[in-house]
Structure formats: structure tokens, C-alpha cells
Amino acid sequence: RILKLVRQVPSLSKIVMALGHSIGPVCNSFFMLFIFTSVYATIATHAFKDRSQQFFGTFSASFFSLFQVVTTDSWASSITRSLFHEDGEVDTAVAFFFVSYVLVASIVLVNIVVAVLLDEFIATVNEQKEAKERQQAQEREEEWDEKRITGVLDPLTSSLTLFNDNEDLTNM
């Protein structure tokens, strides 16, 4: 029933087609994000293991903590605050690590995923539009062919249509 609904509503059909076409490029974008997060998780595990065992004790804990940072789910208050000094002083290395990660991962890479989705949506819409125009042109041509009168003089008249002016006709 849902498939019938998708087929009957053109705008919903466009969205579903665009999502279907964008699966590959979006997976590539997520793979880039995965690689980038893995590199940062490895660095975080080695750099912050002693400061915050809960968030950075293992690679998987570091990866999950950085996933929380990408989603901006209370990362500033829970994850990064545990890495600062006891007296509340900001550690420049920690701040640089997280600011660089947030800038690249949250802002750049997540926006790449959105850009890929938009690009695939636009490409799918244009592809559907061109297919519809081709179909309409073919229907017009078939309609014109049906209306055309055929007879004995068709070979002669078709050869005469190849000439542009009187000079072309005399140079034959």
C-alpha cells in the first residue's frame, strides 16, 4: 500500500527516487566521516586515556565520545570538561583538539553529506524532467506521423525538402 502511495504522489516519488540514487554517494561521505573520526579517536585514546578513563579509556569509548561530539549532544559539558585541569583552567591542547574536530567533522563533513543529498535530489529531478520531455516529444512526433498524409508523391516531396533555396535546387 505504501508503494502505491509513493507512485501516486509525484512529489513523494521524487523524494524516494532521490534518496535511492543518493545511497552510494552518501555512504562514501559517511565513510570519510568514519575514517576521520577513527583517526581522531586513536589520537584521543592515546592523549586523554589517563585524564578521562570513562570517555577515552579505549578506542571504542573514544569513538563513541567523538560521535557524541559530532552530534553535539552535551559534549562541551560532559566530555571536554572532564579533560580540563582540576582548577578549571583550560588546556590549550584539549581545546585545539576538540575545536579542530568540531570544525572539520561537524561543520564540514556533515555538510558534505547534506550537499550530496541535495545534489542527488537535483540530479534526479532533472533526470525525471528530461525523461518526461522526451516522452512528450515522442508523443507529439507520433501524433504528427498519424496526421501526415502519405501517397505516391512522398519520395519526391521528401527529397525536395532537403533544399534550402532555388540555388540549391539548380546546383543539383
Side-chain angles (χ1 to χ4, degrees), residues 15-170:
I15 292 171
V16 170
M17 290 287 290
L19 284 174
H21 285 115
S22 66
I23 289 174
V26 168
C27 285
N28 290 338
S29 301
F30 276 125
F31 184 69
M32 281 180 23
L33 182 63
F34 175 78
I35 295 293
F36 185 76
T37 302
S38 295
V39 168
Y40 263 76
T42 304
I43 294 169
T45 302
H46 291 293
F48 307 132
K49 179 184 350 182
D50 299 331
R51 290 188 187 181
S52 178
Q53 188 70 25
Q54 177 187 5
F55 295 120
F56 299 103
T58 63
F59 174 79
S60 58
S62 296
F63 192 87
F64 184 75
S65 297
L66 290 176
F67 177 75
Q68 186 176 352
V69 170
V70 166
T71 60
T72 64
D73 179 31
S74 72
W75 67 276
S77 59
S78 63
I79 295 176
T80 57
R81 299 270 185 228
S82 67
L83 298 175
F84 292 144
H85 297 295
E86 298 293 324
D87 59 359
E89 186 179 321
V90 176
D91 187 356
T92 311
V94 173
F96 178 76
F97 177 83
F98 282 102
V99 168
S100 66
Y101 180 73
V102 167
L103 284 176
V104 175
S106 291
I107 296 174
V108 175
L109 291 177
V110 172
N111 283 331
I112 286 175
V113 172
V114 172
V116 165
L117 279 172
L118 284 174
D119 184 52
E120 289 298 320
F121 180 75
I122 290 169
T124 302
V125 167
N126 287 339
E127 190 177 293
Q128 288 178 347
K129 190 177 188 181
E130 289 172 0
K132 186 177 181 180
E133 288 173 357
R134 281 192 303 269
Q135 182 183 7
Q136 288 174 345
Q138 183 179 4
E139 289 172 359
R140 282 193 305 267
E141 189 175 320
E142 288 173 0
E143 184 180 311
W144 185 77
D145 284 345
E146 289 174 2
K147 291 180 181 179
R148 191 173 71 162
I149 300 173
T150 58
V152 241
L153 295 177
D154 272 348
L156 177 65
T157 56
S158 65
S159 65
L160 287 175
T161 59
L162 299 175
F163 300 105
N164 293 326
D165 55 15
N166 196 16
E167 185 177 318
D168 286 343
L169 193 57
T170 56

